[in-house]
Amino acid sequence: MKNKFARLDRLPPYVFATVNKIKMDARHAGEDIIDLGMGNPDLGTPPHIVEKLTEAAQKAPNHRYSASMGITKLRMAIAGWYKRRFDVDIDPDNEAIVTIGVKEGLSHLILVTIRPGDVIFTPTPTYPIHPYSAIIAGGDVRGIPVGPGCDFFENLITATRQTWPKPKVLIISYPHNPTTEVVNIDFFEKIVDYAKEHDIMVIHDFAYADLIFDGYKAPSFLQVKGAKDVGVEFFSLSKSYSMPGWRVGFCVGNPDIVAALRRIKSYLDYGVFQPIQIASIIALNGPQDCVQEICNTYKERRDALINGLGRVGWDIKSPKGTMFVWGKIPDKYLKMGSVEFSKFLIKEAQVAVAPGLGFGEYGDEYVRFALIENTMRINQAVRGIKKIL
């Protein structure tokens, strides 16, 4: 039977699985492993959102099939959120669609967009679904280096000159997971000009729009004049409102691209459970102080980790966005590579991190810390790391 699963042939073994197994084996042996690996938010969803979900779930009509494109009032809330946040006008009927989180929406958009052999540009390292959505759909992926010391746009131009057939789609994401790189509006202006010149569709994953620090404000790709002509933007409620398990996000922008996603989703799903959509309206339209509180918590954890690691001899630049810290492996362990170093951290420091190789070959000199433990546990992790430094 194994030979019948054709699409699995292009999917390599999951890099993170090796490290996760060692972590679980250590825990089963009674060790207290501090898990800073998977980016799974530990903060509870704000109570007013949970209360609305509970209320909506009590009503029988909400138990029926929903609309695959999302209910009208949620799409209107999405349009209102974009107008308040970024002064961007979104037509809720033609330029917005609700998705079952960003992973589902982006994957299905790539599936309906490309043919086998089409070239897709993604950053490397990057969130795995960006390249693997294209690989699953039969596309060919070209990675564009991103991260400390890299000029992503210059690398993009170089890759475009060297690639044939010409790329069909560019996937980007800022603030960026895992490198935590951020950009300003002028970067997106160059991307729009580039996309028009080369006739390339742009997908911007904006999952970390609200997890921003030290006065930095993350711009929306759609704020740029002409952005809707070339692409779309995805946003997820997972991080901003600490709703990761709820699986709700949305795609906005170019009406033809949104229509393509709407059409394929009409074949594949009936949309998000309606009470979750109703609660999401409250999230977007309700008080936003909860978003700032969530952001402040991540900032406190970031500072504890960055300052703590600095005290014990591991200097890492403090990120301006995301819920992660991207650290280059200390020189004395650099030759180990990220997977072996991650295993080493579990065994010797009782700390689990994500190996950079899992995000692409250019990440192998790095590990990613997820800020999903409280400051007391983070300080404990620093003490464990101090032992090996």
Side-chain angles (χ1 to χ4, degrees):
M1 288 298 291
K2 289 182 179 179
N3 295 329
K4 297 181 182 292
F5 306 136
R7 294 203 181 275
L8 294 184
D9 292 343
R10 300 190 69 199
L11 296 179
Y14 202 49
V15 171
F16 304 114
T18 303
V19 177
N20 286 339
K21 183 179 186 307
I22 292 174
K23 175 187 70 180
M24 295 311 298
D25 288 346
R27 283 185 165 172
H28 291 154
E31 294 185 46
D32 180 18
I33 304 298
I34 300 169
D35 190 357
L36 303 178
M38 184 178 177
N40 192 0
D42 64 314
L43 305 174
T45 304
H48 69 285
I49 302 173
V50 177
E51 289 169 7
K52 191 64 180 180
L53 169 71
T54 303
E55 175 191 320
Q58 298 297 325
K59 299 178 180 178
N62 291 333
H63 301 170
R64 304 177 69 184
Y65 291 128
S66 187
S68 62
M69 67 182 295
I71 60 177
T72 301
K73 287 186 178 180
L74 178 52
R75 286 183 281 109
M76 291 174 66
I78 291 165
W81 185 85
Y82 257 89
K83 185 64 177 178
R84 292 190 301 273
R85 287 290 306 276
F86 306 109
D87 196 25
V88 171
D89 293 312
I90 298 293
D91 180 343
D93 293 324
N94 300 307
E95 297 178 342
I97 182 170
V98 178
T99 60
I100 309 172
V102 170
K103 286 182 75 171
E104 175 273 319
L106 191 148
S107 300
H108 284 150
L109 178 56
I110 291 296
L111 186 64
V112 79
T113 300
I114 70 170
R115 294 182 174 90
D118 282 345
V119 176
I120 311 299
F121 279 174
T122 73
T124 181
T126 197
Y127 186 50
I129 198 58
H130 294 161
Y132 286 110
S133 62
I135 289 171
I136 291 168
D140 291 332
V141 177
R142 175 80 184 269
I144 314 298
V146 64
C150 289
D151 186 326
F152 178 81
F153 192 78
E154 287 301 316
N155 292 336
L156 176 63
I157 297 301
T158 300
T160 305
R161 295 192 186 114
Q162 297 173 346
T163 300
W164 186 261
K166 69 178 184 179
K168 189 167 185 178
V169 180
L170 167 66
I171 301 176
I172 52 177
S173 179
Y174 292 98
H176 185 250
N177 172 21
T179 69
T180 74
E181 294 285 302
V182 297
V183 296
N184 295 316
I185 195 73
D186 58 343
F187 173 84
F188 287 140
E189 290 171 350
K190 292 194 294 185
I191 290 291
V192 169
D193 291 341
Y194 159 85
K196 288 185 175 182
E197 178 183 354
H198 297 281
D199 190 25
I200 294 173
M201 185 178 94
V202 178
I203 300 173
H204 181 229
D205 182 349
F206 203 23
Y208 298 94
D210 293 308
L211 300 191
I212 45 179
F213 318 114
D214 305 333
Y216 172 72
K217 299 295 182 184
S220 164
F221 169 71
L222 296 180
Q223 286 178 276
V224 175
K225 183 178 179 181
K228 282 187 191 177
D229 296 335
V230 298
V232 292
E233 186 164 76
F234 280 90
F235 178 80
S236 166
L237 277 70
S238 296
K239 310 305 188 301
S240 299
Y241 301 93
S242 203
M243 297 167 61
W246 299 50
R247 307 314 303 134
V248 59
F250 52 81
C251 174
V252 292
N254 182 278
D256 293 330
I257 298 173
V258 169
L261 180 56
R262 180 170 64 239
R263 185 172 179 186
I264 194 169
K265 279 177 63 64
S266 70
Y267 283 92
L268 294 171
D269 68 72
Y270 284 110
V272 178
F273 183 43
Q274 192 150 297
I276 290 177
Q277 295 193 58
I278 293 169
S280 298
I281 296 169
I282 298 302
L284 295 173
N285 286 345
Q288 300 297 297
D289 53 339
C290 58
V291 178
Q292 188 58 54
E293 290 171 7
I294 290 168
C295 185
N296 290 344
T297 298
Y298 286 122
K299 180 181 183 300
E300 181 183 6
R301 295 174 178 184
R302 177 204 68 169
D303 293 344
L305 183 61
I306 293 289
N307 294 336
L309 291 177
R311 285 194 304 270
V312 300
W314 192 352
D315 292 321
I316 299 174
K317 183 180 178 181
S318 187
K320 290 186 177 180
T322 77
M323 53 181 286
F324 305 111
V325 168
W326 184 241
K328 189 170 186 179
I329 299 170
D331 290 342
K332 66 187 290 188
Y333 298 116
L334 194 56
K335 289 184 179 179
M336 294 176 70
S338 61
V339 175
E340 291 305 315
F341 180 67
S342 297
K343 295 178 185 178
F344 179 69
L345 278 182
I346 294 173
K347 293 177 180 177
E348 301 298 330
Q350 288 73 54
V351 177
V353 297
L357 183 63
F359 303 99
E361 60 179 319
Y362 282 87
D364 201 24
E365 293 187 346
Y366 293 82
V367 293
R368 190 196 71 178
F369 298 86
L371 302 172
I372 56 169
E373 293 269 14
N374 61 41
T375 54
M376 183 180 71
R377 295 280 284 172
I378 287 174
N379 289 331
Q380 183 180 339
V382 169
R383 291 193 293 271
I385 292 171
K386 181 181 179 180
K387 293 186 297 185
I388 68 165
L389 296 179

